[in-house]
Amino acid sequence: MNDLNFEEVKNRIEAILFSYGDWISVSELMDSLEIDSEILVRNAMEELVPKFASGYSFLIEESEGKFRMTLHSEYDQVVTSLISGTEIPRNVCLLYTSDAADEEDSV
């Protein structure tokens, strides 16, 4: 997929961040996109982060070299009211599943 143009790379990163719901690194994005260019992914992120800073219900956060798409805080209540007390968000399930697997490996 190295023949992707810059706009398509941005669109695909946006789709990954929206659907993944957890922190993801530049190298993981590169693997998912099957591209070799770290600069291309970083340049795309440099455009996507400010794009979602305002005017959208979502934003892209960066922490410790990883990115995730999440809701702007003013929309938390709108979504929270739709989620029942028995549902666990996918990214929380993945976190617990990963922690449990790590614990089993250490036993």
Side-chain angles (χ1 to χ4, degrees):
M1 277 195 222
N2 281 328
D3 58 345
L4 296 175
N5 68 45
F6 185 63
E7 289 302 314
E8 185 62 20
V9 168
K10 287 192 316 185
N11 290 340
R12 290 179 183 212
I13 290 173
E14 187 177 323
I16 290 167
L17 292 172
F18 177 80
S19 58
Y20 190 58
D22 202 359
W23 295 100
I24 190 166
S25 68
V26 170
S27 63
E28 290 170 312
L29 287 168
M30 290 169 56
D31 290 344
S32 294
L33 296 168
E34 299 178 358
I35 59 175
D36 302 339
S37 176
E38 180 177 342
I39 292 170
L40 182 62
V41 173
R42 289 194 182 280
N43 287 344
M45 292 309 300
E46 285 179 11
E47 289 193 16
L48 288 171
V49 170
K51 172 185 172 182
F52 286 94
S54 63
Y56 293 89
S57 58
F58 290 94
L59 72 137
I60 298 173
E61 297 179 320
E62 180 179 6
S63 178
E64 299 178 12
K66 293 187 174 191
F67 299 89
R68 75 172 177 179
M69 185 175 276
T70 189
L71 286 174
H72 277 283
S73 60
E74 65 259 30
Y75 299 104
D76 285 347
Q77 189 58 41
V78 174
V79 174
T80 303
S81 66
L82 295 174
I83 299 173
S84 74
T86 59
E87 293 181 26
I88 301 173
R90 179 181 169 275
N91 59 335
V92 174
C93 288
L94 289 173
L95 176 64
Y96 286 119
T97 303
S98 174
D99 287 347
D102 290 344
E103 286 179 20
E104 286 181 19
D105 290 341
S106 66
V107 174

